[in-house]
Amino acid sequence: MGKALNDLMQYWRLYLLTLVLGIGGSFQYGMQVSIMSSPAEHIQSFVNQTWLGRYEVPVDDSTNMLIWSFIVSVFSLGGWVGAIHSGSLPVTYGRKKALLFNNIVALVAALLMVFSLMAKSFEMILLGRFLYGYNVGMGLSVHLMYLGESSPKKLRGFLTLTSSIFIGLGKVMGQIVGIKSVPLLLNPLTLVLREVMGTDDMWPWLMALGGLPAIIQFVTLLFFPEAPRYLYIDKGDTEGSKKALQWLWQEDDLKMEMDDMEKERESMQGQKSKTVWEVLTSRCVRWQVLALVIPCACVQFSGINAIYFYAFDIFRESGVAEDNMHYLSIGIGATELISISLCSLLIDRAGRKMLMGYGYLLMGVIMSILVVMLSIKDLFSWFPYVNIALIFSVICVYGLGPSGVSMALPADLFLQAWRPSAYVISGSVNWLGLFLIGMFFPYIVDALRQFCFLVFVAYCMFSSAFMLYFIPETKGKSMVEIMEDFNKLNYKNSGTDTEKADFVLETTF
């Protein structure tokens, strides 16, 4: 307890930076994916009225639904573009300036939402959603880069995992704002938001809420230094990096950290950051890329979205009133948030490998049981309540393992020259997975019903085996030590002197 308190006192500025990065980074993602359900009816009505005013005929239902679907899905397209740019802008202009620019993008999106009703243009909503997606795609990657490059290795896992906590917090906030009726004593602010912003005239302000975290981050981030590892390794600014570390860590003895950065800089030998193609094709990071993509970037295929989708059907079968559905939805979001918070306390004790590996394994087992229970749910009246418990169990295990570790592990896998492009790959796969699930999951559910979970069970079991049997533990290790562990996999069959010489040349970047 005393050590934790000392760390809190010593690194309070680093924790404050974590809060600032989270508010304008991953919090935006959580809020944007959950807030759309609240103004959906008003936006579709607005599209119909705008269409009627332009063409003097009401829009048909299929066209209205298509426009609404595109408003929802264009967010993923913007996220993908933002993830792509996260490999170039932070390298050229630095992590801090990239985030400042990213906040301006979110502010522009918020303004488009506010003025869309006045301009009678649903195209402004489309553009605003695209820009929000860009903001989130860029923000998620740079958030993790900035934080990972500013943290001591003993806190790197915990601090990078906070990005998942902010995602969960954003989801809960979006769900709370989306409730149609909330008791005044429970949350007066939410009631005001719903009554004021949930009307035909004020819903654009609800859509513009994403501008508030952007303003907070833009103003506060100005007072923080650039990421120390970026200054030292990419820019060669030894003195600036040392000052940044001293300010963030409040520590004068930085010899170990400076030596570690020097080893990494020497290994680069002045080479520029690698391209996405070089990351994908280079043998020296082959297993790092596999660890990045299979258990981390593809976490969308763990079935968590299927759980959220099926939850309401199971709640109905259990006799839950329609008006209370949103409270259970908030309960699911709160369960995920609490379990991710617990994961942040365990990750530097239990390690990434065990939490993610066994997390995927438990998710696969619980979802297998859920498939069986859904198939025989009519046998006993109490079976639906067991299914509710299984849903909350999957959410809890997901938060304790895959959700949190999938954010923390990528920060451990790559040296400075490879990291930006690696995040481009991770972001692209993640956003592509989100888009594919959004497009095709309803059809899979229609075709397979509850057996759709078996697809996700297969992924969970495969990812569990992959993590437990192949990927080395990264807990408490420096970047160079982690690279050496992975080189044992990347060059497992290299036995000759020539091959070892090639290895040295390739890993010097």
Side-chain angles (χ1 to χ4, degrees), residues 228-245:
R229 296 185 80 88
Y230 171 79
L231 291 173
Y232 191 96
I233 298 172
D234 287 272
K235 294 300 182 183
D237 185 0
T238 304
E239 191 61 30
S241 174
K242 189 172 182 179
K243 288 181 179 178
L245 285 173

Side-chain angles (χ1 to χ4, degrees), residues 307-317 325-326 329:
I307 290 293
Y308 275 99
F309 180 86
Y310 248 95
F312 287 95
D313 288 338
I314 295 174
F315 294 158
R316 290 188 187 96
E317 291 171 0
M325 291 289 185
H326 286 290
S329 176

Side-chain angles (χ1 to χ4, degrees), residues 274 278-279 282 284-285 414-422 509:
K274 302 300 180 181
E278 287 174 319
V279 174
S282 294
C284 62
V285 291
F414 295 91
L415 296 180
Q416 195 79 6
W418 306 84
R419 192 173 295 121
S421 292
F509 312 136

Side-chain angles (χ1 to χ4, degrees), residues 306-369:
I307 290 293
Y308 275 99
F309 180 86
Y310 248 95
F312 287 95
D313 288 338
I314 295 174
F315 294 158
R316 290 188 187 96
E317 291 171 0
S318 302
V320 177
E322 202 71 31
D323 291 341
N324 295 328
M325 291 289 185
H326 286 290
Y327 296 106
L328 281 174
S329 176
I330 291 175
I332 290 177
T335 299
E336 183 178 344
L337 177 60
I338 292 170
S339 58
I340 292 172
S341 301
L342 290 175
C343 180
S344 69
L345 301 176
L346 295 173
I347 190 167
D348 286 319
R349 294 177 173 84
R352 286 73 156 155
K353 179 174 181 174
M354 190 180 81
L355 283 177
M356 179 169 268
Y358 286 109
Y360 272 129
L361 178 63
L362 282 174
M363 282 185 71
V365 171
I366 295 172
M367 282 192 289
S368 298
I369 297 172

Side-chain angles (χ1 to χ4, degrees), residues 394-409:
V394 173
I395 297 294
C396 186
V397 173
Y398 172 76
L400 280 171
S403 177
V405 181
S406 64
M407 290 293 183
L409 185 60

Side-chain angles (χ1 to χ4, degrees), residues 278-315:
E278 287 174 319
V279 174
L280 289 173
T281 58
S282 294
R283 183 178 182 181
C284 62
V285 291
R286 182 179 299 167
W287 278 91
Q288 288 96 315
V289 171
L290 290 175
L292 177 74
V293 171
I294 294 174
C296 295
C298 287
V299 72
Q300 299 287 353
F301 299 102
S302 65
I304 193 65
N305 292 305
I307 290 293
Y308 275 99
F309 180 86
Y310 248 95
F312 287 95
D313 288 338
I314 295 174
F315 294 158

Side-chain angles (χ1 to χ4, degrees), residues 107-342:
L107 289 174
V108 172
L111 290 174
L112 287 170
M113 296 299 184
V114 169
F115 291 109
S116 61
L117 184 62
M118 185 186 304
K120 297 181 179 180
S121 171
F122 60 80
E123 292 86 356
M124 292 176 68
I125 299 176
L126 284 167
L127 181 57
R129 283 287 292 172
F130 176 85
L131 292 178
Y132 271 140
Y134 182 96
N135 168 262
V136 170
M138 170 80 76
L140 275 174
S141 297
V142 183
H143 173 183
L144 291 170
M145 271 189 271
Y146 198 154
L147 199 53
E149 294 168 9
S150 302
S151 307
K153 63 183 180 181
K154 66 179 180 180
L155 294 176
R156 191 172 62 234
F158 165 71
L159 292 179
T160 52
L161 186 144
T162 58
S163 60
S164 290
I165 295 177
F166 281 104
I167 289 176
L169 183 61
K171 286 181 180 179
V172 172
M173 287 300 297
Q175 289 164 342
I176 290 175
V177 171
I179 294 181
K180 294 183 178 179
S181 60
V182 180
L184 183 60
L185 293 177
L186 176 64
N187 195 330
L189 176 60
T190 300
L191 183 61
V192 170
L193 284 173
R194 280 295 303 167
E195 293 300 323
V196 174
M197 297 184 182
T199 65
D200 285 334
D201 294 329
M202 298 301 292
W203 60 262
W205 293 95
L206 185 64
M207 298 286 289
L209 279 179
L212 184 59
I215 293 173
I216 294 173
Q217 186 181 78
F218 186 91
V219 173
T220 54
L221 196 59
L222 294 172
F223 297 97
F224 289 90
E226 179 59 86
R229 296 185 80 88
Y230 171 79
L231 291 173
Y232 191 96
I233 298 172
D234 287 272
K235 294 300 182 183
D237 185 0
T238 304
E239 191 61 30
S241 174
K242 189 172 182 179
K243 288 181 179 178
L245 285 173
Q246 288 174 333
W247 191 87
L248 288 170
W249 297 6
Q250 297 190 89
E251 185 176 332
D252 292 325
D253 186 10
L254 300 168
K255 186 176 185 306
M256 289 183 62
E257 182 67 19
M258 300 299 287
D259 289 346
D260 182 51
M261 289 193 292
E262 179 61 27
K263 289 178 183 178
E264 190 170 340
R265 186 166 69 175
E266 287 177 356
S267 72
M268 291 176 61
Q269 293 187 348
Q271 294 295 314
K272 295 182 179 180
S273 295
K274 302 300 180 181
T275 65
V276 170
W277 180 250
E278 287 174 319
V279 174
L280 289 173
T281 58
S282 294
R283 183 178 182 181
C284 62
V285 291
R286 182 179 299 167
W287 278 91
Q288 288 96 315
V289 171
L290 290 175
L292 177 74
V293 171
I294 294 174
C296 295
C298 287
V299 72
Q300 299 287 353
F301 299 102
S302 65
I304 193 65
N305 292 305
I307 290 293
Y308 275 99
F309 180 86
Y310 248 95
F312 287 95
D313 288 338
I314 295 174
F315 294 158
R316 290 188 187 96
E317 291 171 0
S318 302
V320 177
E322 202 71 31
D323 291 341
N324 295 328
M325 291 289 185
H326 286 290
Y327 296 106
L328 281 174
S329 176
I330 291 175
I332 290 177
T335 299
E336 183 178 344
L337 177 60
I338 292 170
S339 58
I340 292 172
S341 301
L342 290 175

